[in-house]
Amino acid sequence: MVEFTLPKNSKITEGKRWPRTSHPTHVSEFRIYRWNPDDGQNPSIDTYYVDRDDCGPMVLDALIWIKNTIDPTLTFRRSCREGVCGSCAMNVDGTNTLACTMAIDDARAPVRIYPLPHQPVVKDLVPDLKNFYAQYASIEPWLQTVSPTPEKEWRQSHQDRCKLDGMYECILCACCSTSCPSYWWNADRYLGPAALLQANRWVQDSRDEATGARLDNLEDPFRLYRCHTILNCSKACPKGLNPAKEIAQLKKALVDRQL
């Protein structure tokens, strides 16, 4: 029988259980993934107790409270705190989400927090997204035209503008791509839901004049067709978008141009 085991240095161990601060009456327990590339130790799960009477309602509020009050070495990304920048994407309670829009009360106790899955970890809750952004750059996400530049703006009808709804709102948080099993298995060649949603955003843009070249760039057994419509991406998106639908539109566009 085949036996699958993690390398010794990847096995997660029990970490430090930090003491409660003072004598709070309303406490939530947090179990957080910790890993420091500089100390040579295995990843661990540290336990913290958050005083809810001294902390905001969101998971990000709790992380900031822990960093400011208990453990200043805890490392994570954050910026806008409004669900706009995508910086604080992480896995909370088994679901990829934004820590700033996830309420503590919506997670099961104890609240378990890990970095986005199946990505190299820089430190603690910070994933290495270099490959993710390189794939985004590969779809050339900017307006490409050959017509003379107009004196003012490139005009677009209201109907054509509406075709971009459900795509332009993507904040590139990587929640969808890192929830996709096909992306886990083929991240070096499959572009993933986020990049493909953005690719369709430009294919569908009536102002863009490089549709043929964009589709040529995607017509590959791996770059697009590793999508098996598992739909994890649509379930994971914290903005309520539907990457699977946009990927299906790309596949349809490739078929339509052959007819």
Side-chain angles (χ1 to χ4, degrees):
M1 177 179 290
V2 176
E3 183 178 353
F4 296 96
T5 60
L6 288 170
K8 288 183 178 180
N9 61 352
S10 294
K11 293 181 178 179
I12 300 176
T13 62
E14 186 67 27
K16 183 174 180 178
R17 184 175 293 270
W18 293 79
R20 300 172 187 239
T21 58
S22 64
H23 300 285
T25 57
H26 184 195
V27 176
S28 288
E29 181 180 336
F30 281 74
R31 297 183 182 176
I32 301 177
Y33 178 97
R34 304 299 308 276
W35 181 69
N36 185 347
D38 298 325
D39 64 12
Q41 300 298 312
N42 277 30
S44 63
I45 303 297
D46 280 10
T47 302
Y48 302 88
Y49 299 95
V50 174
D51 181 357
R52 297 291 301 280
D53 294 325
D54 188 42
C55 174
M58 300 300 179
V59 170
L60 182 59
D61 293 321
L63 291 172
I64 294 172
W65 188 90
I66 291 169
K67 188 173 182 69
N68 291 341
T69 309
I70 302 176
D71 181 8
T73 68
L74 179 62
T75 305
F76 54 91
R77 290 191 181 111
R78 55 105 172 183
S79 183
C80 74
R81 300 182 67 168
E82 298 290 342
V84 176
C85 71
S87 298
C88 65
M90 54 191 70
N91 187 281
V92 180
D93 197 23
T95 300
N96 291 353
T97 188
L98 302 177
C100 65
T101 60
M102 177 74 170
I104 299 172
D105 290 336
D106 289 341
R108 291 173 296 181
V111 182
R112 303 175 188 272
I113 306 178
Y114 292 80
L116 290 175
H118 295 271
Q119 297 296 298
V121 175
V122 177
K123 185 180 180 183
D124 293 345
L125 301 176
V126 179
D128 185 345
L129 296 177
K130 288 196 291 287
N131 182 61
F132 174 80
Y133 288 121
Q135 290 171 323
Y136 174 59
S138 76
I139 60 112
E140 300 183 353
W142 56 83
L143 191 67
Q144 299 182 31
T145 62
V146 293
S147 300
T149 303
E151 292 183 4
K152 294 185 178 180
E153 68 276 356
W154 293 96
R155 294 185 178 273
Q156 187 174 49
S157 69
H158 290 293
Q159 292 80 7
D160 285 337
R161 165 61 188 78
C162 287
K163 293 179 182 178
L164 306 183
D165 289 346
M167 293 181 282
Y168 80 88
E169 302 95 328
C170 174
I171 59 175
L172 295 173
C173 63
C175 284
C176 63
S177 291
T178 56
S179 73
C180 172
S182 293
Y183 192 73
W184 301 342
W185 304 326
N186 303 287
D188 57 333
R189 297 179 66 183
Y190 173 49
L191 291 182
L196 291 173
L197 177 145
Q198 291 287 342
N200 194 47
R201 176 254 179 275
W202 292 104
V203 167
Q204 298 299 324
D205 196 322
S206 61
R207 300 165 296 177
D208 191 85
E209 297 174 347
T211 301
R214 293 185 187 280
L215 292 176
D216 288 342
N217 186 40
L218 297 173
E219 194 162 15
D220 176 89
F222 277 87
R223 289 173 68 81
L224 171 63
Y225 289 104
R226 285 301 96 183
C227 171
H228 298 303
T229 323
I230 299 170
L231 301 180
N232 278 12
C233 56
S234 300
K235 182 179 180 181
C237 178
K239 303 295 288 185
L241 307 183
N242 190 351
K245 173 177 172 287
E246 309 310 332
I247 294 172
Q249 278 199 340
L250 284 174
K251 293 177 179 178
K252 182 176 183 300
L254 284 167
V255 172
D256 287 345
R257 73 172 183 168
Q258 303 296 329
L259 301 179

